[in-house]
Amino acid sequence: MNFQTMEYFCAIAEQGSFTRAAAALHVTQQTLSAHIAGVERELGCKLIVRSSPLRLTHEGQTFLVHAKRLTRELDDMRREVAGPDNLQAGTLRVGISFTRGRTVLPPVIERFCEQYPNVCVDLREDTNEGILRGLLARQVDVAFGVLPASSARIESHPLFRERMVLLATTELLECHGVDPQALTEPLGRGDVSPLSGCPFVLSPSEDITGRLGLELIARAGFRPKVRAYSRNMATLLSLALRGVGACVCPKDLLDDTKTPEQARGLTVFDLGQDATYAIDYALPADSWRWPVAERFVELALEHVASM
């Protein structure tokens, strides 16, 4: 048994397949099978049921817990004992919520790559809950999203506040008896009751934008007619442009994602101070941290300060 075997086992468990794990690790399936067969012989028990999809035995689940811990400690040890040149080489794993990476990170990654040409940025896009799990499991080095406050295991700080807006076509509003000119004042204080008869296209409630949008609607005292849900902002904008429904979305995402056609065809309304929420960054608090990750955060803070 060696550390490489443990890294292979973690990859198989994460990918749920020898084939996908082999592709991710750039090794053959035969190599993976040989390592797993070897450790099963050494431990005297079966770790993986080779079915489709594969599953871990009880012993395999126990082995996975220890393998993850040991591979994290090995990764920390490698970085801590590396010389100055090696500290600036490798892969920086960045967790960020869906679509938000497009608005915040490209200029940050551009500057980062200029300063650290031997470091590859591996973006792990996921839900906020998935990002947090990845950070706690040490599968990401730094996370950006709607994250909990600092604790014994993570160090979390505000990055910026994201503002939501409502957008719709004039035709959609007028078709449902809404005067676009009369919407600015009530929507500006977060009152969406004038849209009670209007259909919506929204992010799902599992997403912070969708949840807050639904909370605004609930506060207005009506049950929305939701014609479509999507996590993809480009999809929601296309639906809104076609008049399928009014859309609630982050202003930064709108500004970055909208096409010239959408800019001309959609009317945008501010939703007031209550329609904002904090985007945070977080780093591990219970172990050694790669200085490169801290530099990535510094560049992100410099970027949002200039936005």
Side-chain angles (χ1 to χ4, degrees):
M1 187 188 310
N2 55 43
F3 282 116
Q4 188 174 57
T5 298
M6 294 183 185
E7 291 173 337
Y8 286 174
F9 188 85
C10 291
I12 294 167
E14 180 180 351
Q15 297 291 334
S17 159
F18 276 84
T19 302
R20 289 194 294 271
L25 294 166
H26 305 290
V27 299
T28 65
Q29 291 186 55
Q30 291 79 7
T31 298
L32 292 184
S33 294
H35 274 265
I36 300 306
V39 75
E40 287 179 330
R41 283 195 302 272
E42 184 175 345
L43 293 175
C45 61
K46 198 172 188 62
L47 300 177
I48 296 177
V49 178
R50 291 161 174 78
S51 56
S52 182
L54 65 77
R55 61 182 179 85
L56 303 184
T57 63
H58 172 73
E59 293 80 5
Q61 293 284 0
T62 302
F63 184 80
L64 179 62
V65 172
H66 293 282
K68 285 182 175 180
R69 176 177 57 81
L70 289 170
T71 53
R72 288 196 300 269
E73 292 177 356
L74 175 64
D75 191 44
D76 287 345
M77 181 271 291
R78 284 170 173 166
R79 288 175 172 175
E80 287 188 64
V81 303
D85 291 339
N86 288 331
L87 277 175
Q88 297 187 11
T91 299
L92 178 68
R93 302 161 302 178
V94 178
I96 191 160
S97 48
F98 291 117
T99 70
R100 193 163 285 114
R102 174 172 174 170
T103 62
V104 178
L105 291 190
V108 177
I109 294 173
E110 179 183 15
R111 290 187 60 197
F112 178 83
C113 290
E114 291 172 354
Q115 296 180 21
Y116 299 92
N118 296 320
V119 176
C120 171
V121 179
D122 179 7
L123 289 181
R124 309 285 184 92
E125 293 186 288
D126 203 340
T127 62
N128 290 303
E129 293 76 12
I131 294 166
L132 179 61
R133 286 194 300 270
L135 187 67
L136 292 173
R138 294 302 307 277
Q139 294 170 345
V140 299
D141 300 298
V142 57
F144 297 90
V146 181
L147 301 169
S150 295
S151 66
R153 298 185 63 189
I154 68 167
E155 181 183 319
S156 179
H157 300 279
L159 184 67
F160 69 98
R161 290 200 69 83
E162 195 161 69
R163 177 182 296 276
M164 293 194 304
V165 294
L166 183 138
L167 51 113
T169 61
T170 300
E171 291 77 11
L172 175 76
L173 296 173
E174 292 178 343
C175 179
H176 289 86
V178 180
D179 178 7
Q181 301 299 320
L183 279 180
T184 302
E185 193 275 330
L187 292 185
R189 61 175 189 269
D191 177 11
V192 298
S193 58
L195 296 171
S196 59
C198 187
F200 288 82
V201 291
L202 299 171
S203 301
S205 59
E206 294 80 13
D207 182 89
I208 182 67
T209 304
R211 183 163 68 250
L212 291 183
L214 289 169
E215 286 176 2
L216 283 173
I217 293 170
R219 192 187 310 163
F222 67 90
R223 184 182 181 89
K225 180 179 182 180
V226 181
R227 286 180 168 170
Y229 287 108
S230 175
R231 290 186 183 276
N232 189 307
M233 187 51 55
T235 300
L236 290 177
L237 289 178
S238 294
L239 291 171
L241 183 65
R242 291 172 178 269
V244 176
C247 175
V248 175
C249 76
K251 186 177 185 303
D252 291 334
L253 287 177
L254 170 66
D255 292 341
D256 186 79
T257 307
K258 67 183 177 184
T259 65
E261 180 188 14
Q262 290 165 340
R264 290 191 299 270
L266 292 168
T267 303
V268 180
F269 300 92
D270 186 76
L271 289 171
Q273 288 300 318
D274 288 343
T276 67
Y277 49 89
I279 301 298
D280 306 308
Y281 70 87
L283 296 157
D286 56 351
S287 61
W288 180 86
R289 289 205 299 249
W290 194 14
V292 166
E294 295 180 324
R295 179 56 184 155
F296 191 89
V297 167
E298 291 173 1
L299 293 173
L301 288 168
E302 291 173 9
H303 170 64
V304 298
S306 67
M307 288 171 57

